Amino acid sequence: MKITTWNVNSLKARMPYVTAWIEIAKPDVLCLQETKLKTEAFPFAEFANLGYESVHCGQGQWNGVAILSRVGLENDFHNFDEQSGIPMMETPVDSAGSADSADTTSNSTSQSAAQGTLQNAAEPEARLIWATCGGVRVASAYVPNGRELNHPHYHYKLRWLSCLRAHLDLRESPEAPVVVTGDFNIAPADNDVWDIEAFADNTHVSVPEREKLREVCEWGLNDVFRDRYGHTDGLYTYWDYRAGRFNRREGMRIDYILASAPLSKNLNWIVLDRNARKTWGEDKPSDHAPLTASFEI
DNA sequence: ATGGTAGGTGGCCTA
């Protein structure tokens, strides 16, 4: 089974690129992040024409996660676990533009999550979706960016990761085949960025968020790309559009496929398609490349 | 220390 994760940075803008890529790579399961579409605006029919069932959790404008599968797809849920009540995606005590540093401990009420917001701040953001595909439990996750270390959004990021771990504890079993894929917005180790010095006092490399990621993995998930490629430097999944980062080989490895033992011990191969960060004719790339793992099932 | 680009939306936000 071939499983791909890909932050597409707007599916509306990326649809020609994504469909062209699917027809070449033909993954069995494709996890997308940052669709930036409302749930119902997802192009279900176009993907069905390519042979994929799909589920999508979106909000429009920002975030949005989806799972496509050509090996069956069922039983999804998203955002939070209705049974446990764990708030997977409580919106941060945030305010774009307001200069305060709100206390992160209080669960703030809903004034201005993002100004001019269409979204009730009490509503969870569209950052997590699950499905069962061909007997494998699959998650597509879009972890909050964090913005800055002293920003409320950073504390939201940490809480979100705690919720993900709690969610796994309650709803999934590490003895079963489980993959948690997505854009984690964390570089797990120093060689997952091109120059650790450039990230001093920055998000994505800080100790607390790496610790939260470790706690998620300690549930029973393996970073199969790093398992396979060890300490090789210069392997990234994301390159900022700005400053010519891609051409300068200045990227970050922040997208992964985390697999439980029944899958990770049966990894065939894992490929980072750096070529899909390039412009293809008329089609412009996302700032992330797709990562695909093949498991013997 | 800043800015660079790309995507959203609609009088700037997010990444």
Side-chain angles (χ1 to χ4, degrees):
Chain A
M1 182 184 288
K2 294 192 291 185
I3 301 178
T4 298
T5 182
W6 196 3
N7 178 323
V8 294
N9 184 21
S10 172
L11 191 55
K12 183 180 174 191
R14 211 66 58 214
M15 199 56 185
Y17 203 113
V18 169
T19 54
W21 188 88
I22 286 174
E23 298 197 73
I24 295 167
K26 297 182 168 59
D28 294 305
V29 176
L30 175 57
C31 298
L32 302 178
Q33 300 87 36
E34 279 208 89
T35 62
K36 298 185 178 177
L37 295 173
K38 290 184 184 302
T39 297
E40 62 276 14
F42 191 81
F44 297 102
E46 287 184 64
F47 287 128
N49 286 338
L50 296 173
Y52 292 84
E53 297 175 78
S54 49
V55 286
H56 176 235
C57 170
Q59 63 189 68
Q61 187 168 8
W62 291 310
N63 310 316
V65 285
I67 300 173
L68 285 65
S69 172
R70 58 173 194 175
V71 293
L73 186 155
E74 61 196 31
N75 199 28
D76 67 288
F77 65 94
H78 56 267
N79 284 347
F80 63 92
D81 178 348
E82 295 87 347
Q83 294 185 358
S84 71
I86 290 180
M88 287 303 305
M89 311 231 221
E90 178 193 353
T91 301
V93 182
D94 182 11
S95 59
S98 107
D100 69 300
S101 50
D103 179 5
T104 58
T105 59
S106 68
N107 61 346
S108 81
T109 43
S110 55
Q111 42 213 8
S112 71
Q115 66 193 57
T117 182
L118 308 167
Q119 179 194 3
N120 180 341
E123 287 295 311
E125 295 182 333
R127 294 182 179 275
L128 182 71
I129 191 165
W130 283 87
T132 304
C133 306
V136 176
R137 292 290 296 149
V138 179
S140 178
Y142 178 47
V143 176
N145 174 289
R147 300 180 191 167
E148 293 168 24
L149 291 182
N150 63 359
H151 196 286
H153 203 264
Y154 176 72
H155 299 279
Y156 171 53
K157 181 181 197 174
L158 299 180
R159 281 186 286 127
W160 198 94
L161 289 160
S162 295
C163 287
L164 177 59
R165 171 58 200 260
H167 175 102
L168 289 165
D169 288 335
L170 277 158
R171 286 295 291 254
E172 305 294 333
S173 165
E175 283 81 46
V178 179
V179 282
V180 180
T181 77
D183 175 0
F184 288 78
N185 272 315
I186 298 170
D190 289 356
N191 72 334
D192 289 315
V193 298
W194 80 92
D195 176 12
I196 192 61
E197 308 288 323
F199 285 81
D201 300 319
N202 251 288
T203 59
H204 294 65
V205 300
S206 75
V207 171
E209 61 197 291
R210 284 175 169 178
E211 179 70 10
K212 289 290 183 192
L213 175 63
R214 195 177 57 74
E215 288 170 10
V216 169
C217 291
E218 281 177 349
W219 176 80
L221 295 169
N222 301 297
D223 178 351
V224 291
F225 186 83
R226 196 45 95 193
D227 286 353
R228 177 60 53 99
Y229 290 106
H231 298 295
T232 307
D233 295 333
L235 300 174
Y236 309 126
T237 63
Y238 162 83
W239 299 261
D240 199 310
Y241 286 123
R242 298 167 290 184
R245 294 284 183 223
F246 181 68
N247 291 326
R248 296 161 66 142
R249 310 294 198 265
E250 295 175 346
M252 307 169 70
R253 194 179 72 89
I254 56 177
D255 304 84
Y256 356 108
I257 294 173
L258 305 177
S260 63
L263 288 174
S264 63
K265 71 185 181 190
N266 290 314
L267 178 72
N268 293 319
W269 47 260
I270 180 160
V271 166
L272 172 55
D273 188 0
R274 191 178 179 283
N275 205 41
R277 178 60 176 79
K278 300 175 183 173
T279 301
W280 286 358
E282 303 274 291
D283 298 337
K284 296 184 157 189
S286 169
D287 44 2
H288 295 250
L291 177 68
T292 303
S294 166
F295 299 100
E296 201 65 41
I297 301 270

